[in-house]
Amino acid sequence: MGQKISPVKGTRDVLPGDTYLKKDDPWIRIGHLHLIEQAARELFPLYGYREARTPVLERTALFARGIGDATDIVAKEMYTFEDRDGTQVSMRPEGTASLVRAYVEHAVQQQEPDTKWWYAGPMFRHERQQRGRYRQFTQIGVEALGSPGPRVDAEQIEMLDRWLRALGIPFEMHVNTLGDALCRPAYRTALQEYLRAHSAELCEDCRKRTETNPIRVLDCKNPGCQEVAAGAPKMDRFLCAPCREHFEGLRAALGRLGVAHIVDPKLVRGLDYYTRTTYEAIATAGLGSQSTVAGGGRYDGLVRELGGGDVPGIGFAAGVERLALLVAQAGRELAVRPLVFFAPLGPEEEARADALALELRKAGIPAEVSFRRSNPGNQMKRADALGARFALVLGDAELKSGRAKLKELKSGAEHEVDLSDLPGALRRLQP
Ligand code: HAM
């Protein structure tokens, strides 16, 4: 016998219990992964977002330049290798850099002043594996290019808020501003000076970050670093007038749209491209340390950095696996079950059961037929194990009379039905 081959660490199999068949159908219920995706597919276009798909493989330079060499993602977490032709390629750790590359590549700016795209797909980061954190995970994200905000920022945050609410997720929306190329350098310098003075209290990573990416020290999880961060200078004091006005405009627009939010000066995000608005939806229960279900922000310099024009942008991405954990906890029973299980007792009955099951499926009603011959008692056990609501035993008498008993497995109640219109009979019985 061959040896079992285990999956790559940090990757997950998605089994049918997590996927779906159809929404809003009284017969077939939807699984949480598709519930999440379908809600996005229906909601995002209402705000003008259209789906785009980009490759999983990109040139490493795209992420090095787009996300930033000094970020953890690029410095430590990318799956990078040399392609057969010698090109350095990486499996995408996120979607924004790729979407902006596509935007520049296809000269979209020349075709439309405003662009709104959404996307879904697998992302790869070599992170320490834990609940809600994987090496292959799925993001659903959006990017809006062309408007400097803040109204588009608020519109997008409201859309995320609406999506998460539709999924029944308990969360808080955190927002912050990181300033821009004009005011952030002075803040960076002040922060760096402060951190250098406290370097003995910082973890080794943050001592390095002090020189390469000091703002990231603010969201280090290490208790010592958090204490230092608590006393650090705040961006707020350094904001230039246009950045301050932008942030005030964002908060006012969020107020008009009715989006409850918390201003969180520690919300600095892990990617270098952010300017001004940053935001995160943080689960208030059910996820432990990996509680950020979605994060995003404005990146007004990224299009230019990647060879395009001066086009501002803002987006977010949500982690589908984290959402799925929460949707599952919200107690939605979503697995697909056959409504009727047919137990035919002989060869003629089997042929009739196959035909009846086909008729039900054509009518959109899930059905199963037994492929094993055994006594009615064992057939009932099997129907129960499959989670069917009804079992229907087909014997000689049923074939002759054209009538049979639909047995409710939970209560044992029986309903005599006419086999010539089984879909109709089921519709009358199903609430
Ligand atoms: P991010 O914060 O790196 O942002 O990732 C967004 C979300 O993806 C996180 O909030 C989390 O839910 C999920 N996620 C990230 N890493 C993992 C992981 N290892 N396992 C499971 N889930 C994970 C971005 O990726 C930006 N591109 C968002 C954005 C779009 N900013 C502007 N536009």
Side-chain angles (χ1 to χ4, degrees), residues 401-416:
S401 66
R403 298 186 72 77
K405 286 194 177 111
L406 262 180
K407 183 171 176 168
E408 288 216 41
L409 287 153
K410 267 210 190 106
S411 64
E414 291 186 328
H415 311 272
E416 193 172 312

Side-chain angles (χ1 to χ4, degrees), residues 73 93-97 119 125 127-128 132-139 141-143 156 269-271 273-274 280-281 290 292-299 314-322:
I73 295 178
E94 61 112 44
T96 310
Y119 56 94
R125 296 182 193 176
E127 292 196 86
R128 203 162 46 77
R133 189 161 73 186
Y134 313 101
R135 292 181 178 171
Q136 175 176 338
F137 58 98
T138 315
Q139 280 187 346
V142 310
E143 312 294 346
Q156 190 175 80
R269 313 269 309 130
L271 304 91
Y273 48 61
Y274 292 114
E280 280 184 357
Q290 300 306 309
T292 305
V293 289
R298 180 159 278 289
Y299 45 84
I314 180 164
F316 73 76
V320 173
E321 290 78 6
R322 292 183 192 180

